[in-house]
Structure formats: C-alpha cells, structure tokens
Amino acid sequence: MVANYDEVMKLALERGFYFPSCEIYSDAPAGFWEYGPRGVNMKNKFIELWRRELVRRDGMLEIDGCQIMSKSVFVASGHIGNFTDPVVKCTKCGSSFRADRYITEKTGENVLERMAEQEIKALMKKHNLRCPNCNGEFGEVSKFNMMFSVGIGPAAEEAYLRPETCQTIFVDFARVFKTMRGRLPLGIAQVGKSFRNEIAPRQSLLRLREFYQAEIEVFCNPDRLNEMPEFKEVKNTILRLSDGSSIIEVTAEEAISKGLTPNKLITYYLALLVEFYDKTGIDVKRSRFRNLSVDEKAFYASVAFDFEVETSIGWLELVACNYRSDYDLKGHAITSKQNFEVLDSATQSKVLPHVFELSMGIDRSIYAILEHCYYEDKQHDDRVVLRLKPYLAPILVGILPLMTKDGLDQKARQINSELKYDFETFYDESGSIGRRYRRLEEIGTPFAVTVDKTTMQDDTVTIRYRDTMQQERINISDLNQYLHKALGRR
RNA sequence: GCGACGGUCGUCCAGUUUGGUCUAGGACAUCAGAUUGCCAAUCUGGUAACCCGGGUUCAAAUCCCGGCCGUCGCACCA
C-alpha cells in the first residue's frame, strides 16, 4: 500500500501537521506554509535526529546565523550575478521564456551566463526570434532574481534574505575555525530558514518560498580527500547510485574502487546520509544518489549528487550534495579582503579549504517521511496508521483510562503527570477506547497506556503497540524506563 | 509567468444548468450528555461554510468583471 499525496495532505490538514499560511486572508501568497502542533513536534524531533546522527556522530560544530545578510555576501557568493534568469515575455500572448535557453535551442548559439540584457535582446533580434506559441513579438529581456531583498534602517540599505543557509557558515568560517580550535576536515552545521522567490511554488511543503534547511559544510584539504580514518565505519554501507535511469547498488568501498564516487571523503558523507535517512523511517530502498550532469549542477558545484526519494509524485530531491571546491571561501576572501587560509596540522601547510556540502531540505524530508510511513491497515477496517519511528512521533504515548469511573481517570491523570516532563504524552478520556486508539495511531503515536480495573488493584497498566495492536501488562513504575528504551536512549 | 479546469462547515461532497422556502443539506470528523466498558458501537443534542472585491437585479452560493488560492500541463527550480 503506497500512500499518495492527497492522503498525506488530508491527514496534515485534519490533524494539525501543516496548513497554508495566512489562510484567513484572501491575499495570502502561495508558497508559505505553517507547521501545526503535530508538525512542529515532528520537525523538532527530525532535527534532533539529524544532530545525533550527523552533527554529533561526526563531531561537527553547529552555528545559528542571521537570515538577513548584507549585499556583499551575495556579491561574493555569486548570487547577485548568477541567481538570476534572463526572461523574455511575448507582447502578444504573455507567455514567458528563458531567453538564454530559447536562443540556444533555436540557433545553437551559445549564450553566456553573464551576458547583459541588451546583448541578449540584440541576439534575439539578429535571429528574428518570435513567440513559438503565437508568433508574437518578444518584449524587453528582464532578469529575475530569486532573492528577496529587504531595506535595512531608515535609509533602506540594500540587504537580502539568505537563499541558502550555508553562506553564514562561509562568512563565519575563520572565526569558528580559530575559536573552536578546528582541524581539517571540519564539518560546520546549521539549521534555519532560507528564502527564495520561486516563480511557481507548488505542492505544499515541496516547493516553498520560505523553507527550512539543515546544512553541513565540510571544510577539507583538497590534497587529502582520501585520508579518512572514519571511512571504515561505513565501508559496507549500501549506496544506490544512479545516472537518472538505472540504479546500481554498491557498498561504499566498492563505489570508490569502481570510480563511481570520486574519493573517500565524499563517499563517507554520502554513506552517513543514507544511514541517517534509514533511521528516519524513509525506505532507503526507494532512494538514490543521482549524479548530476554538467548542465544540471548549481553554478558553484564541481561534483554533485542529489539524494532523491521515490514518492507518489515521482522522485523527490531531499539533499543536494555538492563539492563546492574553494568557490565560496575564495569569493568571500576576495570580496572581504580577509584571509581564509588555515594551517592544516597534518601537513603543516597553509591551505584554502575546499568544501563538500550536504544541503538538506527539512520540509521535503518531513513530507517524504509522512508518505513513506503512511499505512492503511486492510486487516482492521482500513485503520490509518502512521508508522513513525518512536523518536520522530509527535506524541510518544497516549494515556487512557478505560472509563471515567471508579477513579480510573484520576489514576490515568496521575500517570500522565509523572511522564509528561520526560516524554510527549497525551491524556484522552473522551469516547470509546477503540476510537481513542485510532486517533492516536493516525498521528503516529507508537504506544498507548490504558488504565483499567486491574490497575487499581496492582498498579499495572496495559501498553499497546500501534503497529501490531498487541498489548502487554507492565508495572507503572517500569513505564519511564520502558519508554526511554523505546526511544533508543540509554 | 502562460494556458485549461476548479474554490461551499475541520475533511469530502450535494445545491449553480434554469437567480426566488438556501433561514445553505448530507457523510465523516469534532464537542456535550446518556449508555457501554479493550479496538472508529448506539442514542440525543450542539458547534461549524458559500475565497475576496466590485457589478447586474426587487432578489446572487448561483449570472458578469477583477483579484487571490489550488490542481494539471508548459516554463522555472540555487
């Protein structure tokens, strides 16, 4: 049973995972969505898992930077120059086209990325290009920048909302490296919001104008990309590599020996990423690393693998893994006139670090997890079950009195107040017990504790498992430890 | 951004063709009470919607214009 987009969407709206922003107003713009109570819980737990399995596992440093950044940052990063598309609009029917691609397609003539609007216009005139839809005349060539600009202070000084979180990491690199006594290779990580003025935002969390990223920038010495002692931890991890059509399954070790991945450093992080996603509950057998072709890659990337997951609406990119070389540090060094070279203690040489990044889309990941965990149980009246991992479930345990008589409800409340400081609990006494179980499993709650008459005699409760619907009896005093164990804590 | 289609309780839908008991109906969900007491039970009662703005008309959920949003296709996607 594979869930589809509509079912996930319905669940999200009905049960408070996410919903459109500003929906009570008719001028609410597209591409903005908010997380409701269940979604926030799940998102926070996803981020905590990311910290555990990537940041802490690899000894990375995490920072939390500003969302508004000065214009110079984006001059240096190339976003002011490159994060724009030349667009041309038909004066007759209003259709718009990417001017550069259209010219190349029709004439074979190469259009340079940095070509000015007038030059592009001249080229179109020279070849007498007209609208392919209605043969109408094209208007002016304009450049559309995907960054949101903001005006700072009374003089409205030009600045931008960051289009990717990683620029903060590059800008802060020198200070963090020095003050944290960094050694190469060093991962610096950040979770936060980024903003892109998408032309056509669509499909709720999948293409947003304001979205969450979890980014990791690994700073490394380009001459030592195969010196990676930690690699042995992941050498047997299966990587599914693809050129966009077929998928090859190899171990991390084989990927290198067969030349499918360029070096140990990159391969190590790709493997960590798969291990992380496996723990989110996403079916990694339905994932792949797609090796991007030259024209698909971002302007800063020299090697790029997209981590993609198969969903009901096709392959979905969750993480962009880019080898950015020294593109960013070099850009910031030139623009800021600062020196970003560091001493690599292993070689006792000064080096301008290269960067390999794992740029993760959190919102898309949340969607993919929901879809992969959505399950309709045909055996039991098509009950809807979100089979979330306990450590990602918005509610870990429901606490239910079998009935609200004979003090069962007081007892249940008491158990709830003992557990609620350590776990996400939910007390519910309304309606039939079966209905309450169904409501809990629909939002992915893995456990339900039920207080019945036996509880009043011997202080035991039943604990019910979401996936099997089986119950067992345990002592109230063992609940705390039991739940800790279920979360994988020690 | 272009085109096609659409937008009614939390969700899904009926009602629009032919403007008039529509004071907007149903199902599911939800809330309260009763009953039951371990898997969406039953009964009773309740909350809750015509996307926004303008126009036509005695009268607009219904017709017209504009906007916004959604789905799909094209284009775009660091």
Side-chain angles (χ1 to χ4, degrees):
Chain A
M1 222 297 303
V2 175
N4 63 41
Y5 177 82
D6 291 336
E7 287 166 326
V8 174
M9 196 64 224
K10 184 180 177 194
L11 181 69
L13 287 172
E14 282 185 333
R15 298 298 176 207
F17 282 87
Y18 52 86
F19 46 85
S21 179
C22 308
E23 59 178 339
I24 62 167
Y25 290 105
S26 64
D27 63 347
F32 297 91
W33 287 71
E34 3 236 41
Y35 286 100
R38 304 300 183 227
V40 171
N41 259 323
M42 191 180 157
K43 177 172 67 66
N44 287 344
K45 287 173 178 172
F46 174 86
I47 292 169
E48 206 34 59
L49 184 70
W50 171 85
R51 286 201 175 102
R52 190 176 82 186
E53 296 299 321
L54 291 163
V55 178
R56 289 206 288 271
R57 176 174 178 180
D58 193 55
M60 298 172 186
L61 302 173
E62 184 179 348
I63 63 166
D64 185 359
C66 287
Q67 297 173 350
I68 296 175
M69 302 180 82
S70 80
K71 183 183 175 185
S72 301
V73 171
F74 303 108
V75 170
S77 72
H79 284 90
I80 299 251
N82 291 321
F83 211 52
T84 53
D85 301 324
V87 174
V88 70
K89 199 169 174 176
C90 170
T91 51
K92 199 169 149 196
C93 73
S95 306
S96 53
F97 302 89
R98 268 287 289 272
D100 53 341
R101 295 200 179 177
Y102 190 62
I103 294 170
T104 309
E105 185 195 320
K106 289 286 165 190
T107 67
E109 196 151 342
N110 198 27
V111 180
L112 295 172
E113 232 170 51
R114 291 179 186 279
M115 205 177 255
E117 287 91 322
Q118 287 80 2
E119 294 176 73
I120 295 173
K121 177 98 198 267
L123 261 179
M124 302 204 69
K125 204 156 197 171
K126 178 179 149 198
H127 293 287
N128 193 28
L129 294 178
R130 302 181 81 89
C131 175
N133 293 350
C134 69
N135 203 34
E137 196 141 348
F138 282 126
E140 290 300 312
V141 174
S142 57
K143 283 208 170 180
F144 177 70
N145 194 301
M146 304 248 298
M147 285 193 293
F148 287 102
S149 66
V150 288
I152 309 291
E157 193 98 10
E158 187 179 353
Y160 293 90
L161 288 171
R162 59 184 179 189
E164 51 182 13
T165 55
C166 61
Q167 289 308 322
T168 338
I169 296 178
F170 301 134
V171 167
D172 293 352
F173 168 71
R175 174 181 285 271
V176 173
F177 192 87
K178 268 183 231 161
T179 56
M180 302 309 292
R181 303 161 57 216
R183 300 178 66 173
L184 299 179
L186 175 69
I188 301 184
Q190 182 175 207
V191 173
K193 275 196 167 169
S194 291
F195 305 82
R196 290 179 201 171
N197 199 358
E198 293 284 352
I199 296 169
R202 249 173 228 194
Q203 287 169 317
S204 60
L205 299 190
L206 305 188
R207 209 195 256 139
L208 295 163
R209 285 181 165 139
E210 175 175 341
F211 57 102
Y212 283 100
Q213 290 186 302
E215 291 198 298
I216 289 167
E217 309 297 319
V218 179
F219 296 87
C220 52
N221 182 338
D223 298 329
R224 298 202 295 122
L225 296 174
N226 279 307
E227 291 170 35
M228 200 78 204
E230 301 90 335
F231 181 79
K232 63 179 185 299
E233 288 176 32
V234 301
K235 65 179 185 187
N236 294 321
T237 301
I238 302 291
L239 300 181
R240 293 164 51 84
L241 301 168
S242 168
D243 55 5
S245 47
S246 61
I247 295 174
I248 310 168
E249 268 193 20
V250 289
T251 64
E253 206 165 34
E254 287 167 345
I256 295 175
S257 63
K258 291 183 177 172
L260 297 168
T261 53
N263 55 56
K264 276 190 180 174
L265 185 132
I266 287 180
T267 314
Y268 168 74
Y269 286 104
L270 296 184
L272 282 195
L273 194 63
V274 175
E275 293 187 6
F276 164 75
Y277 271 104
D278 188 38
K279 293 193 168 82
T280 65
I282 281 179
D283 181 3
V284 293
K285 291 193 184 66
R286 293 168 67 201
S287 74
R288 67 182 184 192
F289 282 106
R290 194 163 62 86
N291 199 177
L292 299 193
S293 59
V294 178
D295 48 330
E296 283 180 305
K297 283 187 289 205
F299 59 85
Y300 47 68
S302 55
V303 180
F305 291 93
D306 274 357
F307 179 74
E308 299 179 329
V309 165
E310 201 179 3
T311 68
S312 61
I313 47 173
W315 287 98
L316 182 63
E317 177 196 339
L318 298 188
V319 187
C321 311
N322 297 308
Y323 190 77
R324 299 175 74 123
S325 69
D326 59 0
Y327 178 91
D328 301 279
L329 289 188
K330 198 189 261 171
H332 285 298
I334 292 168
T335 309
S336 68
K337 301 187 178 74
Q338 304 278 315
N339 187 1
F340 284 83
E341 285 182 325
V342 298
L343 187 71
D344 185 354
S345 49
T347 56
Q348 287 299 312
S349 58
K350 277 207 146 190
V351 56
L352 183 62
H354 279 210
V355 167
F356 180 61
E357 85 171 348
L358 301 177
S359 172
M360 178 180 294
I362 293 181
D363 315 277
R364 288 175 167 202
S365 296
I366 296 291
Y367 173 83
I369 294 168
L370 287 175
E371 194 186 297
H372 276 215
C373 292
Y374 188 101
Y375 172 67
E376 257 176 48
D377 186 354
K378 300 287 175 203
Q379 248 63 56
H380 299 96
D381 312 312
D382 297 341
R383 68 180 185 131
V384 171
V385 188
L386 262 191
R387 295 195 285 198
L388 297 174
K389 300 285 187 189
Y391 44 80
L392 288 187
I395 304 292
L396 181 67
V397 58
I399 304 196
L400 322 170
L402 188 60
M403 51 190 168
T404 52
K405 282 197 301 215
D406 305 332
L408 298 192
D409 47 340
Q410 272 101 331
K411 188 76 180 171
R413 280 179 206 279
Q414 190 192 326
I415 294 171
N416 184 44
S417 45
E418 279 163 22
L419 295 176
K420 69 183 178 188
Y421 295 104
D422 290 326
F423 311 101
E424 297 284 351
T425 66
F426 185 70
Y427 174 82
D428 190 3
E429 61 175 33
S430 77
S432 75
I433 190 75
R435 181 181 287 272
R436 282 178 275 161
Y437 288 146
R438 296 290 162 95
R439 270 199 294 248
L440 284 169
E441 57 205 19
E442 196 179 5
I443 58 165
T445 310
F447 306 110
V449 163
T450 307
V451 172
D452 57 17
K453 281 178 179 159
T454 314
T455 310
M456 306 307 280
Q457 290 154 19
D458 63 4
D459 267 0
T460 61
V461 289
T462 62
I463 185 157
R464 173 189 183 270
Y465 307 109
R466 174 192 68 199
D467 299 348
T468 61
M469 298 171 70
Q470 300 292 308
Q471 285 177 294
E472 64 177 293
R473 262 205 116 73
I474 68 171
N475 276 306
I476 292 174
S477 55
D478 292 336
L479 273 175
N480 195 292
Q481 203 191 350
Y482 183 94
L483 294 170
H484 271 297
K485 215 174 145 194
L487 287 171
R489 295 178 189 161
R490 290 186 179 86

